[in-house]
Amino acid sequence: MMMRSLSSLSCSNSLVACNVYVTAGRMHHSDLLMKILLEAQKQCLSIHSKKVVVVHSFADGPYNRSSFHLAGEVDCVTDVATSIAITATNELETTRDQVELERSRHPFVGMVDHIAVMPLYSAGGDESECSANPTEMSPTGKAARAIGKRLEEVGVRVYYYGDAHADKKPLARVRREETNFFKTEILDDEQGVPIKVKKGSATIGAPKSFVENFNIRLTSNCDIKMAKSLTRFIRERDDGLLGVEALTLPYSNNRYEVAANLLQLDKTSSKDILVRVDKWVDDNIQNSHFSNSNDIIEKCYRVGTTSQQCLSVMNQCQSLARQKFHDDEVATRFKHYLNQPELPAVS
């Protein structure tokens, strides 16, 4: 699905990353999600000279969630992200009965749940240099607004955040104050709260810098109280690590995950998260019946991409042949993720 060019965006040589998160990720969604990916890759190839590529795509069955990770020049990334979002909005269906049966375990506000446009770097090395007026919205903010405007035109209610928001309100505040996102947070040891999928809402915005996502999956030995203690131990608002937001989520087979957003990578990296987790594990071993870390932690893993990964893939895809080879690898992995009842989350 080709979209009209958004060439009016300023500083068109700015390089950005864009993540599109969709509330669908199970086997019965496979054909349509593969179609969305392949159409996005075809669109990228059609404007290859302008540098845009699908860096990675991932699906997680237990969370009923998929993501498409783009990188390239801001105008082209905006076009491709808009195509993905509109196709998903128009064609993906999850009925109320399906949601209650499947119990989507990741919070959401709509079918296209979240779109983040993030800076990689610009010609001048700083996004602010793209604007003659330092108070003017950044290229990522303009791109987020452009994507949101197209979705609003097809009836989606958009909640903006970050540089796309008039008051620069961060994503967590927008989710908590303006949407029902946190209504799917866990309330007891057994279940979250199922809510009806609404295709008509999305959070779209522009963080100040590249955001990484990092998850810690606990074993079934850990109950919700223990999982929430880890969440509090790592997130900034509970005196944890700087620039870290975290949420406790039910996963599958009586397991929980702590999902973290790393908002200030210059202050806190995934390595810092691991150090903090190790300390929490040691404290729990000393004060409980657990004998070693394998009794507590099943897996720690990065979700999605890094800025270095985005730039590396763009560098590798400078010829059409190399980009097609990369696209085939991404599509093969995505199909593999979609056809697993329990999906190994990898970056």
Side-chain angles (χ1 to χ4, degrees):
M1 178 179 177
M2 293 294 294
M3 306 300 297
R4 58 186 168 86
S5 175
L6 301 171
S7 57
S8 60
L9 293 177
S10 64
C11 200
S12 61
N13 60 344
S14 295
L15 296 183
V16 304
C18 180
N19 301 336
V20 181
Y21 299 92
V22 175
T23 308
R26 298 201 168 120
M27 292 179 70
H28 62 271
H29 300 127
S30 179
D31 289 347
L32 186 50
L33 288 168
M34 285 300 302
K35 174 188 172 184
I36 290 172
L37 172 62
L38 295 175
E39 286 186 351
Q41 291 177 328
K42 182 178 179 181
Q43 186 176 355
C44 290
L45 288 171
S46 72
I47 48 178
H48 171 78
S49 62
K50 292 296 186 71
K51 293 184 181 178
V52 58
V53 64
V54 180
V55 176
H56 177 60
S57 190
F58 180 68
D60 191 307
Y63 282 146
N64 195 27
R65 190 172 178 87
S66 296
S67 54
F68 302 89
H69 303 266
L70 310 172
E73 293 183 1
V74 62
D75 291 5
C76 302
V77 168
T78 302
D79 286 345
V80 177
T82 302
S83 296
I84 291 172
I86 288 182
T87 301
T89 298
N90 287 339
E91 298 188 29
L92 277 170
E93 293 287 351
T94 303
T95 66
R96 182 176 184 274
D97 289 341
Q98 285 175 321
V99 173
E100 292 182 349
L101 175 66
E102 297 171 8
R103 188 164 293 281
S104 180
R105 293 170 180 266
H106 195 290
F108 58 87
V109 299
M111 184 58 72
V112 177
D113 177 63
H114 177 207
I115 300 175
V117 187
M118 305 171 291
L120 290 175
Y121 64 79
S122 64
D126 188 318
E127 270 207 315
S128 62
E129 295 178 15
C130 293
S131 302
N133 183 347
T135 63
E136 185 181 344
M137 189 178 292
S138 68
T140 53
K142 291 179 180 179
R145 276 281 176 177
I147 296 168
K149 181 179 179 182
R150 288 304 308 273
L151 288 178
E152 287 170 338
E153 289 173 358
V154 297
V156 175
R157 180 175 182 180
V158 176
Y159 299 93
Y160 294 102
Y161 74 90
D163 200 52
H165 190 283
D167 299 320
K168 314 292 184 186
K169 187 182 288 190
L171 175 62
R173 277 188 57 202
V174 170
R175 281 175 165 170
R176 192 171 297 278
E177 296 173 8
E178 301 180 32
T179 78
N180 63 2
F181 182 84
F182 289 105
K183 289 185 180 179
T184 48
E185 218 170 349
I186 304 168
L187 297 183
D188 55 47
D189 289 4
E190 297 297 327
Q191 298 176 334
V193 177
I195 68 173
K196 186 176 179 179
V197 166
K198 293 195 307 177
K199 291 171 62 175
S201 299
T203 50
I204 302 178
K208 291 180 181 179
S209 58
F210 195 97
V211 175
E212 289 184 13
N213 308 117
F214 194 83
N215 286 8
I216 304 102
R217 185 180 303 160
L218 303 178
T219 69
S220 58
N221 297 323
C222 303
D223 61 15
I224 187 173
K225 182 178 178 180
M226 193 170 177
K228 285 189 171 182
S229 76
L230 175 57
T231 300
R232 290 190 295 269
F233 195 69
I234 67 172
R235 68 186 176 194
E236 181 177 6
R237 72 182 173 98
D238 291 305
D239 297 321
L241 297 167
L242 287 175
V244 173
E245 298 173 341
L247 179 66
T248 309
L249 300 174
Y251 192 63
S252 64
N253 298 330
N254 298 313
R255 294 171 298 173
Y256 294 94
E257 284 198 341
V258 175
N261 294 334
L262 282 63
L263 306 182
Q264 300 179 49
L265 291 167
D266 58 332
K267 302 274 195 316
T268 301
S269 68
S270 58
K271 291 182 180 179
D272 298 315
I273 296 280
L274 290 173
V275 170
R276 189 79 169 172
V277 169
D278 285 344
K279 185 178 187 311
W280 177 83
V281 168
D282 289 343
D283 291 345
N284 277 277
I285 290 175
Q286 292 174 13
N287 299 306
S288 70
H289 62 279
F290 297 114
S291 58
N292 59 63
S293 62
N294 291 331
D295 293 334
I296 302 174
I297 302 294
E298 181 175 312
K299 175 183 255 184
C300 298
Y301 60 96
R302 181 183 290 112
V303 184
T305 61
T306 67
S307 58
Q308 289 183 336
Q309 180 183 358
C310 291
L311 293 169
S312 175
V313 168
M314 289 184 63
N315 186 57
Q316 293 169 15
C317 294
Q318 292 190 26
S319 72
L320 279 173
R322 287 179 178 272
Q323 186 160 343
K324 288 178 180 178
F325 180 80
H326 168 78
D327 287 348
D328 288 343
E329 289 187 321
V330 170
T332 298
R333 287 195 300 267
F334 191 47
K335 187 174 183 178
H336 176 68
Y337 300 145
L338 285 165
N339 286 294
Q340 293 189 69
E342 286 249 356
L343 304 173
V346 296
S347 61

